[in-house]
Amino acid sequence: MNADASVIAVQGHRGSIQSGLYNGGNTGNYGSVPFASRDDQPNKRIAVPVRVEPKVFFANERTFLSWLNFAIVLGSLALGLLNFGDSTGKIAGAAFTVIAMFVMIYALMLFQWRADRIRRRDAGPYDDRRGPIVLVVVLISAILVNFYLRFVYSE
């Protein structure tokens, strides 16, 4: 069995044997040897190639582009703070720039990881459970630092 095939169990079907599908539709015993019952035979394993739909690859690419869209919006916000903000805004802009760069790198790594698993036809979930949580925690932390600096070091 190769890596490009999955294994499924095939159950014997008594109805198709008894209805004569295996002997040309002839249900009589006209000198033919009777079929053995499938109840005494174990389940057979048949290798069936798994076809990966193109929509799976496109969904991975769509998710990657969605992460990049978010990173670009965050980077634009950071660029505006760096160029037009005061000292507190520049600190917040630098923090948001670092976060945006981290999100871009993370999105690329996640895209490559999923594409590799899809290409190898690995089973299992491709979802990311920790990434969005970490992103939200980091963004909330950056916003809280921005508020803290704004109220403590206000001019």
Side-chain angles (χ1 to χ4, degrees):
M1 181 182 328
N2 58 14
D4 292 341
S6 66
V7 178
I8 60 172
V10 176
Q11 299 283 336
H13 191 327
R14 291 178 55 196
S16 62
I17 293 171
Q18 292 173 350
S19 65
L21 291 177
Y22 289 113
N23 59 1
N26 190 357
T27 58
N29 286 334
Y30 300 105
S32 62
V33 178
F35 288 110
S37 172
R38 295 255 179 171
D39 293 335
D40 58 348
Q41 293 180 358
N43 291 340
K44 294 183 180 181
R45 294 225 179 272
I46 299 175
V48 179
V50 176
R51 183 174 186 272
V52 178
E53 296 289 328
K55 66 181 179 179
V56 175
F57 293 104
F58 293 139
N60 186 28
E61 187 175 348
R62 240 186 350 262
T63 305
F64 173 64
L65 292 175
S66 176
W67 278 92
L68 283 185
N69 185 24
F70 173 75
I72 289 172
V73 169
L74 186 62
S76 300
L77 172 74
L79 189 64
L81 285 172
L82 283 173
N83 286 331
F84 302 113
D86 54 354
S87 62
T88 305
K90 289 182 181 183
I91 293 171
F96 286 138
T97 301
V98 170
I99 293 171
M101 290 173 26
F102 168 74
V103 169
M104 287 183 193
I105 292 169
Y106 178 75
L108 179 62
M109 289 174 30
L110 189 63
F111 172 75
Q112 292 296 333
W113 175 76
R114 284 181 180 153
D116 182 50
R117 288 190 68 182
I118 292 169
R119 231 177 280 114
R120 288 186 296 152
R121 293 181 173 96
D122 284 345
Y126 301 134
D127 58 341
D128 179 26
R129 296 176 187 221
R130 289 175 282 183
I133 295 171
V134 170
L135 177 67
V136 167
V137 168
V138 169
L139 280 175
I140 288 175
S141 301
I143 291 170
L144 290 176
V145 167
N146 186 19
F147 281 138
Y148 175 76
L149 291 175
R150 178 63 58 193
F151 291 124
V152 170
Y153 296 110
S154 62
E155 298 171 13

